[in-house]
Amino acid sequence: LAKTTQPISMDSYEGQEVNITCSHNNIATNDYITWYQQFPSQGPRFIIQGYKTKVTNEVASLFIPADRKSSTLSLPRVSLSDTAVYYCLVYNQGGKLIFGQGTELSVKP
Amino acid sequence: KAGVTQTPRYLIKTRGQQVTLSCSPISGHRSVSWYQQTPGQGLQFLFEYFSETQRNKGNFPGRFSGRQFSNSRSEMNVSTLELGDSALYLCASSPRELGTTDTQYFGPGTRLTVL
């Protein structure tokens, strides 16, 4: 089963760019990499998804190297409201979402 | 479109009781999945329903069960509650049966406390 590893926590300041790296060494050929954001007492919210190279949307960018064994979520110019837990996921076979421990991002003023 | 709704939002039960949680997916979504979230174990997949059939199941005991109705609404039942069942139960919906690229839309969750 594909497994993801992320830093447990990160600190940042408002206005900085934050990069969260996730490793997924045994990702399967057909697997996509997906990132979710979760605020306390709320359900996770989809941020971005990609297969290779770079994907960008209005919220974040996702960088995936050629070997696809890792990925980096980039949040430009974070604000206090970006304080949340960020999960990197790779679907296992059968479509189950397997959440890792997530990265708790704390943005300070 | 209205998002995923879950009822009730908060629930307090005692050990040995049973509980039923309800989830209404986004209109048009046919896949509903359930997750348990606890501080110690994080987010864990319970099961997925599509077209009233259970498609996937996580590693939970048989006390945890679910069903899906023809309108895609889903219920989850936990029998003989244990203290360790205290958790945030999340429901997520998706337009089709889960595949490698399908986004899931989560509800706000039901906070279950077992005393």
Side-chain angles (χ1 to χ4, degrees), chain B residues 20-89:
Chain B
T20 298
L21 312 181
S22 181
C23 171
S24 292
I26 292 172
S27 177
H29 285 196
R30 297 172 60 193
S31 168
V32 173
S33 297
W34 289 89
Y35 297 82
Q36 181 196 65
Q37 185 170 32
T38 60
Q41 299 297 320
L43 269 158
Q44 293 185 286
F45 172 82
L46 281 157
F47 28 66
E48 180 209 356
Y49 284 88
F50 180 81
S51 292
E52 302 177 64
T53 303
Q54 188 179 90
R55 301 292 187 171
N56 278 299
K57 190 176 190 302
N59 297 322
F60 279 82
R63 299 186 297 107
F64 292 82
S65 63
R67 59 178 176 169
Q68 186 180 35
F69 302 96
S70 58
N71 62 358
S72 294
R73 190 176 70 85
S74 177
E75 288 183 347
M76 190 192 92
N77 184 275
V78 187
S79 62
T80 319
L81 284 167
E82 300 176 0
L83 294 179
D85 296 333
S86 294
L88 180 67
Y89 289 89

Side-chain angles (χ1 to χ4, degrees), chain A residues 48-97:
Chain A
I48 197 165
Q49 183 181 76
Y51 184 80
K52 61 180 179 180
T53 63
K54 177 183 175 182
V55 178
T56 298
N57 61 22
E58 65 278 5
V59 177
S61 295
L62 179 60
F63 299 91
I64 306 168
D67 66 6
R68 302 196 336 115
K69 293 184 183 298
S70 67
S71 59
T72 299
L73 174 72
S74 181
L75 304 172
R77 297 180 298 281
V78 294
S79 64
L80 296 177
S81 62
D82 292 317
T83 294
V85 179
Y86 293 82
Y87 294 96
C88 162
L89 297 97
V90 174
Y91 283 86
N92 76 340
Q93 292 179 357
K96 300 179 197 180
L97 273 181

